[in-house]
Amino acid sequence: RLSEIILNEKPKTIPKEKKKKIKGRNNINIVILGYNEVGKSAFCIRFVENKYEDFYIPSIGTENYSKIIAFNERNYKLNFSVLWGDINSQKQESILSSSDFFFLIYDITKIRSFNQINIYLKQLKKYLFLYDKEGKSPNFCLIGNKCDLERDRKVELEIVNKCVEKYGIKHFDISVMTAKNMNNLIQFFVNIFDKIAHSEK
C-alpha cells in the first residue's frame, strides 16, 4: 500500500556555488515530469492555449511550450519542457540542469502515478535546493491533477503531506480539465522568481 511507504531520509542540498544565478532574467524554465497519462501535456496546453485536450498523443522525447505573462509590471516568458522516457540521458540532463522549477504531476485517482513521483524525487535530489537561506522558496512542486474527481481519490492526502514535509516542496491540487488552481500555481512560482531575479540585494 502507498501508505506503507517510509519517508525518512532528508535530502541533501547542493553547494551554494552551484545555485542558479537568475538575477535580471525574465525567462523562466520549467520542467514537467510525471507518469503516463497524468496530464503533463494537457497542463501545458490548458495554460498556454487555454483549451482542454481530452485525448492527446505525445511526441517522443521532449515537448516544449512557452507563454509570455505579465507579472508585477514585468513580462515573463515561461518555457515548459515536458520530459518523456529516461531522464538520465545526456539530452535530458542538459534540460534538467538549466531548469528553474520542477513540476511533478500525479493523478489523484491513480496510486501508481504517485509512486513514480517518489522515484523522480530520488533521481532528481541533486537539483532539489532552496533559493533563499530561510528555506521558504521551493523550486519543486508536487501537483495532484484531477481534483474534479475528488470522490475517486486513491492517493491519500496524509502520504502527500509527508512527502511535502520531507522534501520541503510545495503542493497544489489542480484540475487541468476545469483549470482550477492552475493560475494560482503559476503565480506562486513566478512570484518567487520575480523576488529573486529583480531584488535589490
Side-chain angles (χ1 to χ4, degrees):
R1 282 174 52 78
L2 182 64
S3 58
E4 295 174 348
I5 295 176
I6 298 175
L7 299 171
N8 57 9
E9 181 187 357
K10 287 291 183 181
K12 297 178 181 179
T13 56
I14 66 172
K16 182 186 298 185
E17 63 269 16
K18 291 187 179 180
K19 290 189 175 182
K20 298 189 184 305
K21 298 185 181 301
I22 64 174
K23 290 290 184 181
R25 277 175 47 201
N26 281 46
N27 62 300
I28 305 174
N29 300 319
I30 301 170
V31 161
I32 296 182
L33 292 162
Y35 195 65
N36 298 337
E37 299 181 354
V38 296
K40 300 182 295 295
S41 300
F43 175 96
C44 295
I45 294 170
R46 165 60 86 179
F47 180 73
V48 173
E49 302 179 23
N50 194 28
K51 65 181 183 180
Y52 175 64
E53 293 284 353
D54 187 36
F55 179 76
Y56 181 73
I57 301 176
S59 60
I60 298 175
T62 306
E63 291 180 72
N64 298 298
Y65 303 84
S66 64
K67 183 176 182 176
I68 296 176
I69 66 169
F71 184 87
N72 201 16
E73 299 182 350
R74 298 185 181 91
N75 287 328
Y76 283 100
K77 183 180 181 182
L78 276 60
N79 303 305
F80 299 94
S81 295
V82 181
L83 302 191
W84 302 84
D86 181 15
I87 65 170
N88 294 315
S89 68
Q90 186 174 356
K91 181 179 180 180
Q92 307 291 48
E93 174 71 21
S94 175
I95 296 172
L96 293 169
S97 62
S98 63
S99 179
D100 299 299
F101 300 112
F102 296 77
F103 289 177
L104 309 179
I105 302 180
Y106 68 95
D107 180 339
I108 70 168
T109 70
K110 296 179 180 179
I111 291 177
R112 188 174 183 179
S113 68
F114 189 80
N115 289 336
Q116 181 64 46
I117 294 301
N118 279 281
I119 294 173
Y120 282 139
L121 283 169
K122 291 178 181 178
Q123 291 177 323
L124 299 172
K125 190 176 293 187
K126 65 179 179 179
Y127 300 108
L128 183 65
F129 63 91
L130 306 179
Y131 283 123
D132 65 301
K133 295 179 180 178
E134 290 77 24
K136 297 179 181 179
S137 299
N139 66 321
F140 274 59
C141 186
L142 189 59
I143 301 172
N145 186 27
K146 302 186 182 179
C147 68
D148 52 289
L149 300 176
E150 180 62 33
R151 64 183 180 179
D152 297 322
R153 176 184 287 273
K154 296 296 189 298
V155 181
E156 303 165 14
L157 287 175
E158 179 182 0
I159 200 69
V160 173
N161 291 335
K162 286 182 179 180
C163 185
V164 168
E165 182 179 354
K166 174 190 176 183
Y167 289 100
I169 59 181
K170 189 69 176 175
H171 174 257
F172 282 86
D173 268 348
I174 69 165
S175 170
V176 171
M177 185 177 74
T178 66
K180 182 177 180 179
N181 272 346
M182 288 190 60
N183 285 333
N184 292 336
L185 187 163
I186 294 295
Q187 288 187 12
F188 178 87
F189 285 94
V190 173
N191 183 49
I192 290 176
F193 191 94
D194 180 75
K195 288 181 177 179
I196 301 170
H198 297 285
S199 67
E200 296 181 358
K201 294 182 180 181

